[in-house]
Amino acid sequence: MTIQGWALILAFTLLIVALAKPMGMWLFALYEGRRTPLHRVLSPVERGFYKLAGVDPQAGQGWRSYALHMLAFQLVTLLFTYAILRLQGVLPLNPRGLAGIGADGAFNTAISFTTNTNWQWYSGEVALSNFSQMLGLTIHNFLSAATGIAVAFALFRGFARRETKDIGNFWADITRVTLYLLLPLSCIYALFLVASGVPQTFASLVDATTLEGVKQHIVLGPVASQEAIKMLGTNGGGFFNANSAHPFENPTALTNLVQILSIFVIGVGLTWCFGKAVGNTRQGWAILTAMMVLFIAGVSIVYWQEAAGNPMLHQLGVAGGNMEGKEVRFGLAASALFSVITTAASCGAVNAMHDSFTALGGMIPMFNIQLGEIVVGGVGAGIYGFLLFALLSVFVAGLMVGRTPEYVGKKVEAREVKLAVLAIAMLPLCILGFSALASVLPQGLAGPLNKGPHGFSEILYAFSSAAGNNGSAFAGITSGTPFYNGLLGMAMWIGRFFVIVPVLAIAGSLAAKRHTPETTGSFPTTGPLWVGLLIAIILIVGGLTFLPSLALGPVADHLAMSGGQLF
Amino acid sequence: MLNDLKSALRPALVFTLMFAVLLGLAYPAAITGTAQLLLPDQANGSLIRQDGKVIGSRLIAQGFAGAGYFHPRPSAAGAGYEADNSYGSNLGPASQALHDRVQADIAKLRRPDAVPPADLVTTSASGLDPHITPEAAMFQVERVAGARGVPADRIRRLVEQQTEHRLLGFLGEERVNVLQLNLALDTLTREAAKNPT
């Protein structure tokens, strides 16, 4: 570990906390449907969309209507991308003549990008044309992010509004978020990336002859435009197989810093926006504090483990940290930091190969995903996932003191707690159930690259990543088979919409309640006691479920690694 | 519920098409146009040309095997350094295959007096890492100097000149771009041949 490494971690933490309020204010304007300076240019586009679609943006929706419209939109965009992938061979912008994607692969990828997961069983540069990347995938990077933020807005309204059915209008929410936040930011971001060395062209391939006379086929494409929204929208699906480790996706230490900031920036902004929406920004800061405590603990462990290095290589005389699967320009600290951020959020981009991390260094990213990616989390998904834990925490606190629990002015009753538990329980059910299945069936056991406990870790990570809508991988696993494409596709769908629908139901049920003013008897949800309780509930409820499986994977791996046993 | 679904159909179709045009076509096209106009070098892959021919990209590692060139890190991209097949090894920390590969790479570097720095015997995440650490470059100086018949000190100075430093003192790591170092090395050798000291 170096001073520079810790300086980077500290600088990142300070910068991201400083960004919470400005981003939160912008998000709050969109939440409220207020005019922004960008409206002067873009509001004709917005109005045009509504007019063509026959949507009245002022008309509020009840939670069922909001959910059904949201689901209908997901299904249509899903089929759109499925068709593009299947028909790739006959569609334009395909100078390399790549063939269409098979049914199971297209099924998996269409779900993957619709659910903001961006799990990739294929290598982008090998399998996809520029047309598929742009029309099939880039649009989902915007729309799945906008959907996540829309659902978060709907839940905020549930807390903030009183005695109403109305939790907002889905179409207005996604359109505003896309037009006034994601698109303009992506434009500036993409140009910054190009200036730093990220390609942006419709050309697909350049042939080079190296100094020693070897042919090298350099793949290019519209990389920067996809890269920008890939990070901002916590999507994480790379243009290239190596993702943000590829020098064309993430060429410098500065682009790396901007990339990790952009994974978190909307997520931290939403914590502030939540506080503002419920009339007390300290509520938002309390949430952010709990998130940052878990975040810093995670980074410290990964950095420590990666810097300590691999005993097996030390025995061969190779000193220092674990550089297998890491890039020199990032080194240990920036790789450790990136891995924790990308899994704390549901991003899943990687700038180093998690599969080659030390056993415990690789366990933390997996554990972050299993906690439900609520440490800042994916755009929208992080905050609504976190608020489920907040509901559970006030419920537990209420049980201890024997009062009906309240949170930010709303009584929390049986219906909300049941729905929250349903949403929270889906994740372990899905991850552990599918992992168990894959660990006993021959089609599942054919997947892992590594032998021994690390092979099991690859399976566990795959289903954690899919159900958590993360998209990163212990990438040694061969998952482009009908078995994995099918199961992982199901896991991604369940992990996304079996959480979103209960969240919207909670929003509807909260919105219908009257306001309960805070009294001296209310459990305070802003101070250190609350932050401590939140962290404890998250670790106990979210984490404990996974300890046995982690003991079989990374912990066993660590003991083997330390004991000099090889597989 | 059925009415809700019916009323959702038209906006779902219209928004999909409109967003596809805006986000899938107009947005990448606008960025491509702007980038090609203002930043053509970077937008087209930061290519390096010699005598009009593309010899590689500044950002993409290429294999060097000759004793007279600095070698990059080992690569798991396809058969090695395949720029259309970026890949990490994905070998776990207790992997026999990783152990054997590193052992073989150490033996290949043939320096009985010193063990190579970690980056020189580990594969990068992309398989296309264009950089090595300054230590990894210094480790190779004697071999390169011997093969080229140039004093080792001149080559050491070249490595120092080519070393890129941390941004603001803490962002990134000290590193050397192997392709650019080798190009500078070719230039240096040509000049040394012209006026031997």
Side-chain angles (χ1 to χ4, degrees):
Chain A
M1 292 188 279
T2 60
I3 301 279
Q4 289 91 344
W6 284 111
L8 170 69
I9 292 167
L10 182 71
F12 171 81
T13 309
L14 294 177
L15 279 171
I16 204 67
V17 171
L19 283 169
K21 189 175 171 188
M23 178 52 79
M25 287 167 73
W26 190 264
L27 283 161
F28 185 69
L30 300 177
Y31 164 82
E32 291 263 277
R34 289 187 193 159
R35 276 185 76 83
T36 66
L38 288 172
H39 273 71
R40 210 174 303 160
V41 193
L42 290 168
S43 67
V45 181
E46 185 190 355
R47 282 198 304 274
F49 273 34
Y50 297 146
K51 207 166 168 200
L52 276 167
V55 163
D56 173 10
Q58 308 296 335
Q61 293 175 305
W63 81 265
R64 280 194 184 82
S65 170
Y66 199 101
L68 280 169
H69 282 230
M70 184 274 302
L71 284 172
F73 185 53
Q74 307 303 317
L75 280 173
V76 172
T77 54
L78 178 87
L79 290 172
F80 178 77
T81 292
Y82 180 80
I84 287 182
L85 293 173
R86 297 284 284 152
L87 299 171
Q88 175 170 268
V90 296
L91 290 168
L93 281 178
N94 183 11
R96 286 185 285 154
L98 299 166
I101 306 289
D104 61 300
F107 165 82
N108 183 283
T109 302
I111 290 186
S112 173
F113 279 74
T114 306
T115 56
N116 198 258
T117 312
N118 296 24
W119 171 268
Q120 294 167 296
W121 58 269
Y122 57 88
S123 300
E125 66 264 50
V126 177
L128 293 186
S129 71
N130 286 345
F131 189 86
S132 301
Q133 299 261 22
M134 284 159 42
L135 266 132
L137 306 185
T138 304
I139 63 160
H140 282 290
N141 286 358
F142 282 97
L143 297 176
S144 65
T147 301
I149 298 171
V151 172
F153 281 177
L155 182 59
F156 294 178
R157 292 189 189 108
F159 283 107
R161 293 185 175 174
R162 296 163 195 185
E163 296 165 76
T164 175
K165 279 186 150 175
D166 171 7
I167 58 165
N169 184 296
F170 172 71
W171 304 108
D173 280 342
I174 57 160
T175 308
R176 285 177 189 146
V177 167
T178 306
L179 288 182
Y180 303 119
L181 178 69
L182 300 175
L183 187 57
L185 260 184
S186 296
C187 287
I188 301 166
Y189 191 177
L191 290 175
F192 158 74
L193 289 174
V194 177
S196 308
V198 179
Q200 179 70 26
T201 164
F202 288 141
S204 186
L205 196 66
V206 173
D207 282 325
T209 308
T210 69
L211 286 183
E212 290 191 335
V214 180
K215 283 260 180 267
Q216 198 176 32
H217 311 290
I218 299 174
V219 175
L220 303 169
V223 185
S225 55
Q226 185 167 332
E227 191 71 14
I229 187 61
K230 160 196 151 192
M231 310 308 291
L232 267 178
T234 59
N235 293 284
F239 193 93
F240 299 100
N241 184 51
N243 210 291
S244 279
H246 197 294
F248 273 162
E249 288 200 23
N250 192 3
T252 68
L254 184 64
T255 57
N256 191 64
L257 178 67
V258 174
Q259 292 206 350
I260 50 183
L261 285 168
S262 62
I263 295 177
F264 263 7
V265 67
I266 294 178
V268 295
L270 281 167
T271 64
W272 192 90
C273 177
F274 169 72
K276 183 75 180 165
V278 298
N280 180 1
T281 49
R282 287 175 60 205
Q283 298 285 358
W285 289 118
I287 291 174
L288 187 57
T289 308
M291 289 173 169
M292 287 328 256
V293 170
L294 288 165
F295 165 69
I296 288 171
V299 176
S300 304
I301 297 174
V302 178
Y303 186 27
W304 165 49
Q305 284 297 309
E306 294 310 298
N310 186 342
M312 173 181 94
L313 298 188
H314 294 166
Q315 286 209 328
L316 290 171
V318 181
N322 176 25
M323 281 303 287
E324 180 71 16
K326 294 191 182 64
E327 302 278 303
V328 164
R329 64 191 178 285
F330 305 137
L332 299 166
S335 301
L337 186 59
F338 199 117
S339 75
V340 174
I341 292 166
T342 195
T343 51
S346 71
C347 183
V350 295
N351 80 344
M353 290 301 137
H354 294 182
D355 211 351
S356 295
F357 274 29
T358 59
L360 296 183
M363 180 179 79
I364 297 297
M366 178 150 42
F367 189 60
N368 269 336
I369 300 172
Q370 292 168 340
L371 282 183
E373 292 156 338
I374 36 88
V375 178
V376 180
V379 289
I383 186 77
Y384 66 65
F386 194 96
L387 288 171
L388 295 174
F389 277 103
L391 291 178
L392 211 56
S393 302
V394 287
F395 173 69
V396 171
L399 285 182
M400 286 194 273
V401 294
R403 273 177 58 103
T404 308
E406 301 154 16
Y407 185 56
V408 295
K410 286 292 168 80
K411 278 202 158 61
V412 177
E413 289 162 304
R415 181 177 157 82
E416 293 83 49
V417 175
K418 277 185 211 161
L419 286 165
V421 168
L422 173 71
I424 289 172
M426 281 329 286
L427 197 65
L429 206 64
C430 213
I431 294 173
L432 297 174
F434 283 135
S435 295
L437 200 63
S439 304
V440 292
L441 293 178
Q443 298 94 321
L445 291 168
L449 167 79
N450 285 281
K451 300 185 180 75
H454 202 73
F456 173 69
S457 296
E458 286 181 345
I459 295 176
L460 184 63
Y461 197 108
F463 286 104
S464 302
S465 177
N469 297 145
N470 186 273
S472 68
F474 273 9
I477 194 165
T478 302
S479 65
T481 61
F483 175 80
Y484 275 110
N485 275 338
L487 280 192
L488 291 167
M490 278 162 63
M492 290 188 273
W493 187 264
I494 295 170
R496 178 79 166 175
F497 295 109
F498 283 62
V499 177
I500 283 185
V501 174
V503 162
L504 289 174
I506 291 174
S509 137
L510 288 172
K513 295 182 191 220
R514 72 165 77 85
H515 181 72
T516 311
E518 209 175 314
T519 63
T520 48
S522 308
F523 183 77
T525 54
T526 49
L529 181 64
W530 167 243
V531 172
L533 180 72
L534 270 176
I535 293 172
I537 296 286
I538 288 167
L539 288 177
I540 293 166
V541 176
L544 216 53
T545 335
F546 292 100
L547 277 191
S549 61
L550 291 174
L552 291 173
V555 175
D557 206 14
H558 176 75
L559 295 174
M561 185 186 93
S562 315
Q565 193 184 349
L566 301 180
F567 296 96
Chain B
M1 193 153 153
L2 204 64
N3 278 341
D4 268 328
L5 261 183
K6 265 190 212 154
S7 70
L9 205 59
R10 176 170 160 203
L13 290 169
V14 171
F15 273 94
T16 301
L17 289 177
M18 299 297 284
F19 275 131
V21 172
L22 178 71
L23 307 171
L25 290 176
Y27 161 67
I31 301 294
T32 305
T34 316
Q36 290 291 334
L37 200 68
L38 301 178
L39 304 154
D41 172 48
Q42 293 97 317
N44 293 310
S46 308
L47 302 175
I48 301 179
R49 289 185 170 82
Q50 233 175 26
D51 311 322
K53 284 189 201 119
V54 178
I55 58 154
S57 162
R58 207 162 53 236
L59 294 172
I60 301 292
Q62 47 185 250
F64 283 98
Y69 279 124
F70 283 92
H71 297 176
R73 303 177 63 189
S75 165
Y81 316 102
E82 287 182 8
D84 51 357
N85 201 6
S86 63
Y87 244 96
S89 76
N90 287 314
L91 293 173
S95 154
Q96 182 76 49
L98 175 64
H99 175 273
D100 297 348
R101 195 201 73 213
V102 172
Q103 201 169 36
D105 279 343
I106 294 174
K108 236 191 319 193
L109 288 162
R110 269 188 240 122
R111 283 265 312 255
D113 54 323
V115 179
D119 61 306
L120 215 48
V121 292
T122 49
T123 60
S124 64
S126 60
L128 302 171
D129 190 345
H131 299 108
I132 53 177
T133 58
E135 296 77 36
M138 289 301 181
F139 182 84
Q140 305 182 50
V141 162
E142 300 284 343
R143 184 197 72 225
V144 172
R148 296 209 168 220
V150 178
D153 274 348
R154 288 195 65 175
I155 297 195
R156 244 175 238 122
R157 244 177 296 143
L158 186 71
V159 171
E160 277 161 18
Q161 284 162 13
Q162 289 284 327
T163 299
E164 298 168 48
H165 297 281
R166 292 188 174 95
L167 187 64
L168 304 174
F170 73 99
L171 279 179
E173 302 287 331
E174 306 270 308
R175 63 210 177 273
V176 184
N177 185 303
V178 179
L179 178 55
Q180 286 183 315
L181 174 64
N182 283 334
L183 284 169
L185 188 63
D186 278 347
T187 312
L188 177 102
T189 319
R190 268 199 303 275
E191 277 166 15
K194 265 186 237 159
N195 22 294
T197 40

